[in-house]
Amino acid sequence: MTHINPQTETIDIGIGGMTCASCVARVEKALNKMPGVESATVNLATESARIVVQSAQVTDARLRRAIRDAGYEPLTPEAAEMADQASAWAGFAPVAFGLFLSAPLVLPMLGDLWGQHWMLPSWLQFALATPVQFVLGARFYKAGWHALKAFTGNMDLLVSLGTTAGWLLSVWLWLNAHEGHAPHLYFEGSAVVITLVLLGKWLEARAKRQTTEAIRALHALRPDKAHWVSDDGEVDVPVAEILVGDRVAVRPGERFPLDGELIEGQTQVDESMLTGEPLPVSKSMGAALTGGSINGDGRVLMRVTAVGHETVLSRIIRLVEDAQAAKAPIQRLVDKVAEIFVPVVLVVALLTLAVWLFMGASFETALIHAVAVLVIACPCALGLATPVAIMAGTGVAAKHGILIKDAQALEMAHRVQTVAFDKTGTLTVGQPRLIEHLVAPGHDVTTALAWAASVQSGSEHPLARAVLKAAQAQGLKTSTPQDLSAVPGRGVQAQVDGRQLLLGSLRWLQQEGMDNALWAEDVKALQSQGATLSALAERGPDGVQGVLLMAFGDEPKAGAQEALAALRERGLKLVMISGDNQAAAEAMARRLGLRPEDGEVLADVLPGDKAAQVQKLREGGRIVAMVGDGVNDAPALAAADVGMAMGNGTDVAMHAAGITLMRGEVALVGAALDISARTVAKIRQNLFWAFAYNVAGIPLAAMGYLNPVIAGGAMALSSVSVMSNALLLKRWKPD
């Protein structure tokens, strides 16, 4: 997948053959030193690299060559897709072959537990162990050799060195044994270690498939065919051939192939896979339809409004993929450890050999202890600890309508101390209605309302739509405004029927010269009721004269009060940011259960000043989340430590925010904080176990308490346990 902007190009390449965190470091180093590469991030869990390049300097082919030169296999998109679609038992054949050959070697060890001392002939042990060592273990030799050539180390190098040492020792003991004496050989150790590592990698691959289920489920929402409606009738064509503006028929029970607008019929639509909302949503003429959602009980006709990468579903998939490909800040520590891990283990193994020899042990005993050190080291568990938890956390969050754009937002969200909310559309329904309008002396109320509707006839602002709706309800005719210009955060001015009209906030109009005393008592009364006020004025020879006062009412979102109370119970400070005057903002805040007296309301804030207010809230090192719903909130969302965008994920807020809440429910804010906390907890648990395996296992192996077979089993178990622990996140559900 490739995303392009005018300056840079982001290229994703699948990589085969990586086994541990050291492999990740080597590929990143190879890619980052290429001229024209701005950054390269490699993810062990997704087995892919994301490279940001200067598009004019670096080609996809050169990047793939660099990956191959580093000793790994760059995968084509087709190969990566085939790997994703492979059955759960894919790749088990080598494991089964290894188990078949290793089982007879292990039987004598089991017999010892029951007092039965018997052993396979040396030649049979050799015959069983050698194919495991050099056929099944060839992958370790190949990858280890590439690591040596690059003057680095990896898990494969440790496994190949350890098992080869055990195999060579066994051959030497066999060939130098006295006549008639059956020597104790270690073929079973080498064979079982290789088999266990292969088994662990296979179990790991199965677990990885589960962490990417969310992405595969989203891809599966896209139908392959669409019922294209042309002038000649209905024809089934590939979705890729549909263009914006085409008409498409959707039958009951089918998925909408692309985003569009309903132009014929009405239906109920199941959007649960996109938004997490379990109840079907009613759709009638003019309603927006999202590709991937399921049509209910009626055949409908839609006009396509977005195709390809511009559809909501494609954007969602891209967001989840971006989050799963990204590295959490905590991963930087792991990367530093991984760079020195394998060399340190090699030194410890050599020291183990030397110390045991110095203490008078036989070379055979010293070497076996050194081999145990090599095979118990678990760099793979370190490399998987963070990315698999992020993949599982972002995947389950997406299933419930929470899209986490980047790993940094996921890691930061659980530390949030203050949550700031935009009011309109975030805490309120965002569909204000005109509840009162008062005309100034000397003006006709219907004419004034028609002027106001004319000025706002091209606006998408919620208050403008409320004025237009009120004018339409009264059957008023509007005129086309001339010389229309917006004053950001204040209002709009235009010429209508030869009059210079201004429409906007009372504060702006009063700054322009409108009489403060006009409607003074009415303004106080309406503001005390929580109404949002704006006015229409005319600029004439005598200055700016008020024409029409308009009061708008909005309603709190269902469940908003309870959701805010739940956030307060978490110990969070809550703040509502509003452009309304203080009285109106406080009135709505009290309906929402907020406490103006505790500083939970910031009123009279212009859209352009929201970011500055967020910065003030961050003073003193407080971690602040900003929750907004639109373009005007984008600067504030970007200024916050964690930005959360409400809505359907189609506007610029989605790009400015680290987290997008697909349903406009305030309760999802708490759910996003919760999944962040649980994911970070899993990351810490995984890192603890990954480090614990090594901190405890390597010294025990060096001291002779672990033989190579047990060490190999512990190494395989470390990766599987890390994966399994992360997969527990899939059981998470929002409260």
Side-chain angles (χ1 to χ4, degrees):
M1 179 178 64
T2 303
H3 316 308
I4 299 174
N5 67 40
Q7 291 80 32
T8 61
E9 184 177 358
T10 302
I11 301 174
D12 290 345
I13 301 176
I15 303 174
M18 294 192 301
T19 56
C20 67
S22 300
C23 300
V24 170
R26 188 154 91 250
V27 178
E28 285 184 348
K29 190 176 293 184
L31 291 170
N32 280 315
K33 71 181 183 182
M34 291 183 64
V37 172
E38 290 194 356
S39 66
T41 302
V42 177
N43 189 311
L44 179 60
T46 58
E47 296 182 311
S48 64
R50 171 154 294 184
I51 310 114
V52 179
V53 302
Q54 295 290 341
S55 53
Q57 300 181 39
V58 185
T59 63
D60 185 85
R62 286 181 60 198
L63 294 171
R64 291 178 179 274
R65 176 63 60 85
I67 293 170
R68 189 176 298 281
D69 290 344
Y72 300 94
E73 183 71 22
L75 302 179
T76 63
E78 294 76 16
E81 186 174 347
M82 286 178 64
D84 284 343
Q85 295 174 353
S87 73
W89 289 93
F92 187 71
V95 179
F97 187 46
L99 291 171
F100 175 75
L101 293 176
S102 301
L105 295 169
V106 177
L107 287 176
M109 294 177 59
L110 297 177
D112 286 342
L113 298 176
W114 302 97
Q116 301 296 317
H117 303 291
W118 53 277
M119 187 176 294
L120 296 178
S122 298
W123 67 267
L124 183 55
Q125 292 186 54
F126 173 83
L128 291 170
T130 301
V132 177
Q133 184 68 48
F134 297 107
V135 177
L136 299 182
R139 55 178 285 181
F140 301 117
Y141 287 107
K142 180 181 177 183
W145 173 243
H146 283 300
L148 277 178
K149 287 198 300 183
F151 299 103
T152 61
N154 60 7
M155 184 201 78
D156 304 284
L157 182 62
L158 298 179
V159 172
S160 57
L161 285 176
T163 58
T164 302
W167 185 87
L168 288 173
L169 175 63
S170 299
V171 171
W172 185 84
L173 291 172
W174 174 33
L175 296 178
N176 289 277
H178 296 297
E179 187 76 29
H181 173 68
H184 180 76
L185 306 180
Y186 298 93
F187 283 123
E188 83 283 349
S190 297
V192 170
V193 165
I194 287 176
T195 301
L196 286 174
V197 173
L198 290 174
L199 176 62
K201 301 308 285 183
W202 177 73
L203 291 172
E204 193 181 294
R206 286 192 66 180
K208 283 178 186 175
R209 281 182 54 79
Q210 294 185 54
T211 64
T212 57
E213 275 182 359
I215 289 287
R216 290 201 305 276
L218 288 171
H219 278 290
L221 296 181
R222 299 195 251 209
D224 296 324
K225 298 282 186 180
H227 310 305
W228 176 50
V229 179
S230 66
D231 294 337
D232 299 326
E234 192 175 302
V235 182
D236 286 354
V237 300
V239 169
E241 296 180 13
I242 299 294
L243 304 175
V244 172
D246 282 352
R247 292 179 300 157
V248 173
V250 184
R251 297 162 188 164
E254 292 184 337
R255 293 190 183 276
F256 290 96
L258 297 160
D259 294 354
E261 177 187 1
L262 187 59
I263 58 174
E264 184 180 302
Q266 59 183 15
T267 187
Q268 299 279 323
V269 177
D270 178 0
E271 299 178 335
S272 58
M273 192 59 209
L274 298 170
T275 66
E277 172 57 59
L279 299 177
V281 181
S282 296
K283 301 286 185 178
S284 55
M285 288 275 290
L289 302 169
T290 306
S293 55
I294 302 174
N295 185 27
D297 50 10
R299 179 187 181 277
V300 296
L301 202 63
M302 64 180 287
R303 179 180 292 109
V304 175
T305 57
V307 298
H309 292 305
E310 298 307 312
T311 64
V312 170
L313 180 57
S314 292
R315 290 172 186 240
I316 291 172
I317 291 172
R318 195 154 63 237
L319 277 179
V320 178
E321 287 177 337
D322 288 347
Q324 295 191 343
K327 280 191 178 181
I330 198 171
Q331 183 69 21
R332 295 175 193 139
L333 169 65
V334 180
D335 290 343
K336 290 179 181 177
V337 172
E339 285 184 22
I340 62 170
F341 184 87
V342 174
V344 167
V345 171
L346 291 172
V347 170
V348 172
L350 289 173
L351 285 174
T352 299
L353 179 68
V355 170
W356 278 97
L357 290 174
F358 178 78
M359 292 170 60
S362 66
F363 180 77
E364 172 186 338
T365 301
L367 184 61
I368 288 302
H369 295 330
V371 167
V373 169
L374 290 173
V375 298
I376 200 171
C378 313
C380 41
L382 282 175
L384 289 168
T386 300
V388 294
I390 288 174
M391 290 173 70
T394 54
V396 73
K399 181 179 177 182
H400 293 287
I402 303 167
L403 300 184
I404 299 171
K405 179 180 176 183
D406 57 58
Q408 185 167 343
L410 179 65
E411 188 175 328
M412 180 69 73
H414 79 285
R415 296 170 51 201
V416 164
Q417 298 164 294
T418 301
V419 184
F421 293 88
D422 171 55
K423 179 180 79 77
T424 304
T426 302
L427 293 176
T428 66
V429 175
Q431 297 176 353
R433 54 192 177 84
L434 187 64
I435 58 174
E436 185 71 80
H437 54 289
L438 304 172
V439 71
H443 290 279
D444 175 68
V445 66
T446 56
T447 303
L449 185 59
W451 288 346
S454 298
V455 171
Q456 297 189 309
S457 58
S459 175
E460 290 297 317
H461 193 282
L463 299 185
R465 290 199 294 267
V467 172
L468 290 167
K469 190 173 181 180
Q472 290 169 0
Q474 295 186 29
L476 303 180
K477 292 184 178 181
T478 59
S479 304
T480 302
Q482 305 295 321
D483 300 327
L484 183 70
S485 63
V487 182
R490 290 171 171 80
V492 64
Q493 52 190 0
Q495 280 197 8
V496 176
D497 298 337
R499 298 174 179 270
Q500 185 66 35
L501 300 176
L502 298 84
L503 192 153
S505 68
L506 292 176
R507 183 170 57 175
W508 173 53
L509 294 176
Q510 288 165 357
Q511 289 172 350
E512 292 293 315
M514 190 178 78
D515 184 5
N516 288 347
L518 185 64
W519 302 305
E521 294 300 320
D522 297 308
V523 166
K524 286 182 181 179
L526 291 167
Q527 286 179 345
S528 67
Q529 299 169 21
T532 300
L533 302 181
S534 67
L536 177 72
E538 180 181 1
R539 192 191 300 276
D542 299 327
V544 175
Q545 303 294 323
V547 176
L548 185 70
L549 175 69
M550 293 169 286
F552 302 89
D554 200 355
E555 291 296 317
K557 280 187 176 178
Q561 185 173 351
E562 293 79 5
L564 292 173
L567 290 172
R568 186 179 282 113
E569 287 178 8
R570 288 172 173 259
L572 298 170
K573 179 181 178 181
L574 307 178
V575 177
M576 184 184 81
I577 301 178
S578 173
D580 293 346
N581 63 81
Q582 193 70 34
E586 288 185 2
M588 178 56 73
R590 289 192 174 91
R591 294 181 66 187
L592 289 162
L594 295 173
R595 304 164 182 165
E597 63 275 11
D598 293 338
E600 294 186 346
V601 175
L602 297 176
D604 289 315
V605 179
L606 298 175
D609 295 336
K610 288 181 183 178
Q613 292 295 334
V614 170
Q615 291 287 12
K616 285 184 180 179
L617 293 173
R618 294 180 65 199
E619 290 176 359
R622 291 187 67 84
I623 306 298
V624 176
M626 173 68 194
V627 187
D629 72 319
V631 175
N632 289 338
D633 298 320
L637 292 170
D641 295 287
V642 178
M644 297 188 190
M646 291 268 193
N648 61 8
T650 58
D651 61 21
V652 72
M654 191 172 181
H655 298 284
I659 299 174
T660 298
L661 310 177
M662 292 301 290
R663 302 195 308 276
E665 295 178 8
V666 183
L668 284 185
V669 175
L673 301 181
D674 185 49
I675 189 58
S676 166
R678 291 173 184 265
T679 303
V680 170
K682 287 299 179 190
I683 290 173
R684 289 173 176 166
Q685 291 167 16
N686 282 351
L687 288 174
F688 169 79
W689 286 114
F691 279 108
Y693 270 110
N694 292 292
V695 171
I698 291 175
L700 287 173
M703 290 187 288
Y705 292 112
L706 297 176
N707 66 41
V709 172
I710 296 175
M715 177 196 177
L717 181 63
S718 67
S719 296
V720 175
S721 63
V722 161
M723 297 291 296
S724 301
N725 188 44
L727 287 174
L728 292 176
L729 282 170
K730 292 179 64 180
R731 297 157 55 186
W732 175 83
K733 291 182 180 179
D735 292 335

